[in-house]
Amino acid sequence: MPSDNAIPPSWQGVLAPVLATPEAQRLGGFLRAEEAAGKTIHPPQGTRLAALDLTPLDAVKVVILGQDPYHGAGQAHGLSFSVQPGVKVPPSLVNIYKELETDLGLPRPAHGNLTSWARQGVLLLNAALTVEDGKPASHQGKGWEAITDAVVGAVAAKAEPCVFMLWGNHARKKAERVAGLGADSHHLILTAPHPSPLSAHTGWFGSRHFSRANAFLEAHGRGAVDWRV
């Protein structure tokens, strides 16, 4: 694990055992070698654990699982599906906003920064937390999965009911590996096709995940998420 990304306090107990494993050590070595070779890695150092920093474990209400960060310059900043202010809203996020408009009547935002969600307990997590510039999925299978599996598992182990939004086959398969997310789970597990333009019309639109999540959270005394951006 690279030293520039300190583990936020609330996640240290969860991740300390994982970071001591050979898999995590290989990840750190891989990232250092890639950067030493002059490759551009997204998001930049110091922001790769932003999801954990902005959403402490005890605050998590909702988990939205992505696959890996955006691979274009200036886009990724450590939160799945989110981009920096001033960056064009990516197509998948455009479709997320369309569903928010249909589901909750919210106007489509002009920017793509989802930090306000993260600060309310929405863990915007990718399976891999880095990617090489211009090469989607290039850091999958390099060690991040053990770390992010531990994060998902820690949320699944929480006594408080949470909502897991699993969009696309990759997110569903990741959740299936985690104990506590079976059919008898006390959490709400919402699945739908990925919101990308390739699959959004096969069931993402009309899934109403946002209103369903809020109804569940309110019914369990956890308070609704304000999905306005």
Side-chain angles (χ1 to χ4, degrees):
M1 184 70 185
S3 59
D4 65 284
N5 291 281
I7 304 299
S10 75
W11 296 98
Q12 287 175 357
V14 170
L15 293 181
V18 182
L19 296 179
T21 64
E23 190 171 12
Q25 297 301 313
R26 284 195 296 272
L27 170 64
F30 166 75
L31 291 174
R32 287 190 291 272
E34 291 290 280
E35 289 169 338
K39 295 181 180 179
T40 299
I41 307 300
H42 304 302
Q45 292 189 15
T47 67
R48 293 167 185 170
L49 300 180
L52 305 184
D53 189 43
L54 289 168
T55 313
L57 176 57
D58 61 359
V60 176
K61 295 181 178 182
V62 178
V63 178
I64 297 178
L65 279 174
Q67 192 161 340
D68 57 3
Y70 294 120
H71 54 86
Q75 291 182 304
H77 64 118
L79 305 177
S80 63
F81 295 100
S82 181
V83 292
Q84 294 278 31
V87 175
K88 182 180 178 181
V89 179
S92 291
L93 187 52
V94 169
N95 286 338
I96 290 171
Y97 286 169
K98 287 179 181 178
E99 178 62 16
L100 273 170
E101 184 177 40
T102 301
D103 188 10
L104 297 175
L106 298 180
R108 298 182 202 177
H111 67 88
N113 190 293
L114 304 179
T115 298
S116 64
W117 292 3
R119 294 192 186 280
Q120 294 180 75
V122 180
L123 182 63
L124 295 164
L125 185 71
N126 281 311
L129 300 185
T130 54
V131 68
E132 184 180 345
D133 182 65
K135 295 185 177 181
S138 52
H139 289 188
Q140 290 181 24
K142 303 299 184 181
W144 279 120
E145 289 80 4
I147 293 169
T148 55
D149 279 354
V151 170
V152 174
V155 179
K158 283 165 62 83
E160 304 95 338
C162 298
V163 180
F164 288 79
M165 294 185 179
L166 309 178
W167 301 337
N169 290 331
H170 187 88
R172 283 197 292 270
K173 288 177 181 177
K174 184 174 183 65
E176 286 169 1
R177 298 199 301 265
V178 176
L181 289 181
D184 59 347
S185 175
H186 62 290
H187 303 300
L188 177 62
I189 302 169
L190 299 173
T191 63
H194 195 276
S196 77
L198 295 175
S199 55
H201 290 280
T202 65
W204 158 255
F205 291 127
S207 60
R208 304 187 69 86
H209 279 192
F210 303 101
S211 61
R212 292 165 67 187
N214 276 355
F216 178 85
L217 291 170
E218 290 183 314
H220 290 84
R222 300 216 62 200
V225 174
D226 182 352
W227 294 105
R228 291 174 297 179
V229 174

